[in-house]
Amino acid sequence: MSVIELTIGGTRREVPAGTTGAEVFTDTPEAIAIRLNGVPADLHRELSDGDAVEPITLDEPEGLDILRHSAAHIVAQAVQELFPGTKLGIGPYIKDGFYFDFDTAEPFTPEDLKAIEKKAQQLIKSGQRFRRVVVSEEEARRRMADEPYKLELIHDRASTGDTGEAGVEVGAGELTVYENLDRRGEVVWQDLCRGPHLPDTKPIRGGFAVTRSSAAYWRGDQAKAALQRVYGTAWKSKEDLKAYQDRLAEAERRDHRRLGRELDLFSFPEEIGSGLSVWHPHGAIARGEMEQHARRRHIENGYSYVYTPHITKKDLFVTSNHLVTYADGIWPPITMDEERDAEGNVTKPGVDYYLKPMNCPMHILIYRERARSYRDLPLRLAENGTVYRNELSGALHGLTRVRGFTQDDAHLFVTREQLEEETAKVLEFVLSLLKDFGLSDFRLELSMRDEEKSKWIGEEEVWEVATEALRRVARATGLQLTEEPGEAAFYGPKIDLKVTDAIGRSWQLSTVQLDFNLPERFDLEYTDRDGSRKRPIMIHRALFGSIERFFAILLEHYAGAFPVWLAPVQVVGIPVAAEYAPHLHEVAERLRRHGVRVEVDDSDDRMQKKIRTHTKRKIPYQLIAGAEDQAAGAVSFRFRDGSQDNGVPVDEAVARILQAIEDKAQV
RNA sequence: GCCCUCGUAGCUCAGUCGGCAGAGCGAUUCACUCGUAAUGAAUAGGUCAGGGGUUCGAUUCCCCUCGAGGGCUCCA
């Protein structure tokens, strides 16, 4: 019997030829697959001389990916058993779950989904096994004869070698089919698939669920067939599944659309139009505090605030080229001053005005309003500029994706020499301001130019210098940095800032974007020290991105319980009985003189009811007073979490509250 | 924009297999004056999103429009 040498978990060992991963890891029962020379593979894969293998378990992300992909196969099998004639699309794992696309006669109803889940559970319980079969292209075609989408994938792979997004189905190497075998070893289902898969369905038993369905296009192309996508999730255990469902429920509780209604912050009246928000008094207070604070800090950091109109003649966005580059996002024009005769023929053409989708061209015009010298630079123009973008109706989502929103926009005009220092300052400023709002978990992404020369403009050398400057600046922050080649806009590299919120979700916030294009298009210049004319570089910089969206992120981050300085109502006084209300009104008056937003609840409700009401409103401080407090010239604090601090002298209470506001503290 | 689901009181939701529209919370009024998350009672409040069709009769069935939700696509 011949022998092969393997590296198993780092140590070399000789085993008989024909040994499989499963045989190597018999004493690692939690292994559900192997990493074969660094690449995930089936547990039952036969190993070759020189291979390096490690076990993959459900405790690592790759293990869960495999679990979910196998669960996707079971769902597909269930669907085809329940709905014969359904054709298969692709079925990859995704974050926290998987999906599988199907071409069906009818879309799935919620009852169908339940039936699919039930069927899948049965299949899982029946203990099916997965078997990998290497096939020739001809054999693959024969097995997939009834699956037109799979045949397309086989065809594309053969003709172009391009597996595209269907990489899950047909890898770059050999073609494989996975068979689902029942207890008797009969092949009950099969799918073209690169794998790897679980050895059998047992590990899926723990935490599997079908979650929802939706439409999706074949290969993400609107022109292609609309498929039905079934989403599901799968976890190592029931407990993990429960934890995942709890996370979803928590996100649901924090949903800014729900909180916005419950706390009476903002709304989207139908009469105004989709994606257009109105801000109620309490929402406006919190938003106003955000804006004022940001404004003060911008001024301290050398920014100059400007104001510009919401509409503009067409020519401006022709010059900037926005009308071409972003045509789809621009609202249809308003035609002004057109004259017609009695027959309706145009006798004098009108002028088209557009709602502005971006502020930059207007800021550029302010720059260009007079001759600039190197002494003017860096010039930092800032505006809370409201822009309008014609988002597709299906893309709208609460305050995070709207048709009218306000950018805390700034455009910095700098010389090449100033670029690095100024970018560093911008980034430092952005981080410092975001920290004021209680965010602390940041990550950076550097977007670099495409290799393809036609996809960017400007001089290669400027790109190199600028990208290198951004990289140095980004590294200097000490934050996690990922580099994204090919992700830059055509006009310059950028740094994006992502933030992770209180429940671990990642949001794209600020962006610092260099622009070599608009200064060129608008022929911007400054006179340098030696009298020569030079072109400035522009930095586009949105810090919150959109004020509305940032507000929504903060609202979810805090689950509606804002830190004191942002809370619409900061203090509410609750008398134990009506006769103690005057005492609290006096305290409230003292607070109000210091600018504190304070109410006294002298409604007829019982005190316990008032506590409940204001706790649900997430008011940071409830000040309760009865006979004891009044006699002692004191108040009793009750906080959002139910904790108390009783009998605090009024002077101290006022000082404490003012201090918390000053410190931007959470209480 | 595309696919699916949905739209009943301010909010959350029942309900009507086609026959005068329901609850809880909230609001208002009255009584109660109370020490840390719901006192009791009464009252008001809806062209069942809007329009059209079928029908003796439509909130209910059908069509269109508007809006929302979940995805797809998009996201300067």
Side-chain angles (χ1 to χ4, degrees):
Chain A
M1 188 166 71
S2 62
V3 166
I4 57 172
E5 189 178 83
L6 301 176
T7 308
I8 300 163
T11 36
R12 286 172 177 273
R13 218 171 92 193
E14 287 195 342
V15 299
T19 296
T20 68
E23 286 155 0
V24 170
F25 295 114
T26 42
D27 52 355
T28 313
E30 62 273 24
I32 52 99
I34 56 171
R35 198 168 290 110
L36 176 57
N37 303 317
V39 181
D42 292 304
L43 192 59
H44 291 293
R45 193 69 164 272
E46 194 170 304
L47 304 170
S48 313
D49 191 38
D51 281 346
V53 290
E54 298 166 44
I56 294 180
T57 72
L58 294 178
D59 291 316
E60 51 197 309
E62 276 176 323
L64 285 175
D65 288 344
I66 293 168
L67 175 81
R68 288 162 186 165
H69 186 43
S70 293
H73 272 223
I74 296 298
V75 164
Q77 182 187 353
V79 166
Q80 288 200 318
E81 288 190 15
L82 290 169
F83 306 93
T86 299
K87 305 300 181 197
L88 302 174
I90 61 172
Y93 58 83
I94 53 176
K95 183 177 172 353
D96 293 341
F98 60 88
Y99 67 77
F100 213 111
D101 285 342
F102 303 97
D103 189 348
T104 62
E106 297 290 330
F108 297 120
T109 64
E111 290 71 40
D112 291 341
L113 289 185
K114 277 191 201 114
I116 292 165
E117 177 172 300
K118 197 171 164 198
K119 186 65 165 177
Q121 296 280 21
Q122 283 169 7
L123 295 172
I124 290 165
K125 282 208 189 95
S126 77
Q128 287 189 163
R129 283 180 293 131
F130 293 96
R131 182 165 68 192
R132 177 176 187 268
V133 186
V134 177
V135 293
S136 66
E137 195 185 314
E138 194 187 347
E139 171 71 4
R141 282 182 195 287
R142 194 185 58 71
R143 286 178 180 242
M144 293 295 133
D146 291 332
E147 296 291 352
Y149 300 100
K150 299 291 178 183
L151 289 173
E152 189 180 320
L153 295 178
I154 297 168
H155 172 264
D156 288 2
R157 176 184 182 273
S159 58
T160 67
D162 178 19
T163 61
E165 64 193 301
V168 181
E169 320 295 310
V170 285
E174 47 199 357
L175 267 180
T176 49
V177 164
Y178 276 79
E179 296 173 337
N180 294 8
L181 309 178
D182 68 12
R183 275 184 184 282
R184 293 165 317 205
E186 300 279 324
V187 176
V188 287
W189 192 76
Q190 62 176 342
D191 185 20
L192 182 74
C193 180
R194 184 180 56 175
H197 278 281
L198 302 170
D200 55 61
T201 55
K202 268 193 224 94
I204 314 177
R205 278 180 309 192
F208 163 85
V210 169
T211 49
R212 57 180 183 268
S213 69
S214 85
Y217 303 104
W218 172 235
R219 296 185 144 184
D221 183 346
Q222 256 186 79
K224 297 207 163 100
L227 305 178
Q228 293 298 310
R229 176 169 299 178
V230 174
Y231 286 89
T233 189
W235 298 84
K236 182 188 175 185
S237 62
K238 254 195 183 68
E239 292 69 38
D240 286 2
L241 173 65
K242 180 73 169 45
Y244 168 69
Q245 288 165 337
D246 289 347
R247 276 209 302 286
L248 292 185
E250 177 60 24
E252 163 74 23
R253 270 193 296 283
R254 287 169 179 253
D255 190 309
H256 72 278
R257 293 165 300 181
R258 166 201 282 257
L259 290 170
R261 192 171 40 243
E262 286 175 358
L263 302 176
D264 195 16
L265 303 176
F266 54 82
S267 60
F268 297 87
E270 253 189 57
E271 293 83 344
I272 293 176
S274 288
L276 299 168
S277 59
V278 295
W279 290 67
H280 305 189
H282 283 180
I285 287 170
R287 175 179 172 161
E289 285 289 340
M290 284 168 49
E291 289 171 342
Q292 280 167 33
H293 177 69
R295 188 180 172 90
R296 204 161 41 238
R297 296 228 36 207
H298 274 78
I299 292 167
E300 285 165 12
N301 277 267
Y303 288 77
S304 306
Y305 271 91
V306 299
Y307 293 97
T308 65
H310 289 204
I311 66 171
T312 166
K313 281 195 281 194
K314 179 178 184 175
D315 286 3
L316 185 61
F317 287 108
V318 170
T319 304
S320 71
N321 211 36
H322 285 129
L323 268 172
V324 174
T325 321
Y326 311 122
D328 291 345
I330 296 183
W331 286 69
I334 302 163
T335 303
M336 283 282 286
D337 300 328
E338 186 179 83
E339 289 176 16
R340 291 168 183 265
D341 61 19
E343 280 78 50
N345 302 307
V346 174
T347 56
K348 178 189 155 197
V351 182
D352 283 347
Y353 280 75
Y354 286 91
L355 287 167
K356 69 172 168 183
M358 304 195 105
N359 302 301
C360 25
M362 307 239 184
H363 293 179
I364 287 171
L365 294 183
I366 293 172
Y367 178 96
R368 220 173 53 169
E369 198 60 21
R370 68 180 180 86
R372 299 289 174 179
S373 94
Y374 72 95
R375 292 169 183 276
D376 295 321
L377 307 184
L379 182 67
R380 311 181 185 93
L381 300 181
E383 177 180 12
N384 287 340
T386 303
V387 296
Y388 297 89
R389 297 180 186 182
N390 189 15
E391 300 290 350
L392 293 176
S393 61
L396 299 174
H397 181 87
L399 285 176
T400 61
R401 198 71 190 281
V402 289
R403 286 190 173 148
F405 61 98
T406 304
Q407 291 181 308
D408 64 325
D409 212 358
H411 296 95
L412 296 83
F413 301 87
V414 301
T415 68
R416 269 205 212 185
E417 297 71 42
Q418 292 167 337
L419 184 65
E420 181 162 344
E421 191 192 338
E422 192 59 25
T423 313
K425 270 189 179 169
V426 168
L427 205 55
E428 192 187 331
F429 177 52
V430 166
L431 290 168
S432 141
L433 189 47
L434 291 176
K435 282 177 188 160
D436 288 348
F437 288 94
L439 300 170
S440 55
D441 193 349
F442 305 117
R443 195 153 62 71
L444 298 176
E445 269 179 27
L446 173 63
S447 294
M448 303 184 294
R449 74 173 161 73
D450 207 289
E451 285 301 314
E452 174 64 44
K453 178 97 188 167
S454 65
K455 295 202 174 156
W456 49 275
I457 57 121
E459 301 160 50
E460 182 155 356
E461 188 234 326
V462 179
W463 274 88
E464 289 313 316
V465 170
T467 305
E468 189 45 46
L470 287 183
R471 183 181 286 125
R472 272 199 299 272
V473 163
R475 283 190 181 154
T477 62
L479 297 173
Q480 185 197 329
L481 173 69
T482 51
E483 303 201 352
E484 309 274 339
E487 284 303 305
F490 70 92
Y491 49 79
K494 65 172 174 175
I495 297 176
D496 287 327
L497 188 135
K498 314 237 168 178
V499 60
T500 303
D501 74 6
I503 55 170
R505 294 171 303 178
S506 177
W507 303 86
Q508 147 100 47
L509 280 185
S510 318
T511 176
V512 179
Q513 168 97 55
L514 305 189
D515 188 346
F516 313 131
N517 177 49
L518 286 178
E520 196 78 30
R521 289 194 153 266
F522 282 88
D523 197 23
L524 299 186
E525 294 187 328
Y526 65 91
T527 307
D528 207 352
R529 220 175 279 268
D530 60 1
S532 63
R533 298 288 175 91
K534 291 189 176 152
R535 184 90 68 213
I537 294 174
M538 265 179 87
I539 306 174
H540 301 253
R541 187 242 62 179
L543 197 153
F544 299 151
S546 132
I547 292 177
E548 289 81 353
R549 182 163 175 278
F550 184 70
F551 183 90
I553 292 168
L554 273 192
L555 187 57
E556 300 200 1
H557 177 65
Y558 287 118
F562 282 115
V564 197
W565 70 290
L566 288 172
V569 176
Q570 296 166 314
V571 179
V572 63
I574 300 177
V576 169
E579 62 180 287
Y580 312 111
H583 171 59
L584 282 171
H585 276 291
E586 274 175 40
V587 177
E589 196 44 49
R590 285 187 56 180
L591 287 166
R592 209 170 278 126
R593 278 203 295 277
H594 288 102
V596 177
R597 299 182 287 271
V598 52
E599 294 175 356
V600 175
D601 186 347
D602 37 22
S603 70
D604 285 343
D605 286 337
R606 287 177 68 208
M607 168 208 181
Q608 288 84 340
K609 178 61 185 296
K610 291 180 186 180
I611 288 169
R612 177 179 156 87
T613 303
H614 302 297
T615 304
K616 284 173 74 178
R617 290 172 74 203
K618 301 179 194 284
I619 312 274
Y621 293 108
Q622 297 182 19
L623 296 186
I624 296 170
E628 293 162 35
D629 286 304
Q630 181 166 307
V635 289
S636 293
F637 280 77
R638 184 189 161 99
F639 301 94
R640 288 188 281 224
D641 65 357
S643 62
Q644 305 172 34
D645 197 351
N646 294 336
V648 179
V650 172
D651 284 349
E652 191 193 324
V654 170
R656 256 203 228 178
I657 291 167
L658 293 178
Q659 192 61 45
I661 293 171
E662 171 68 22
D663 294 346
K664 300 191 164 43
Q666 177 65 292
V667 298

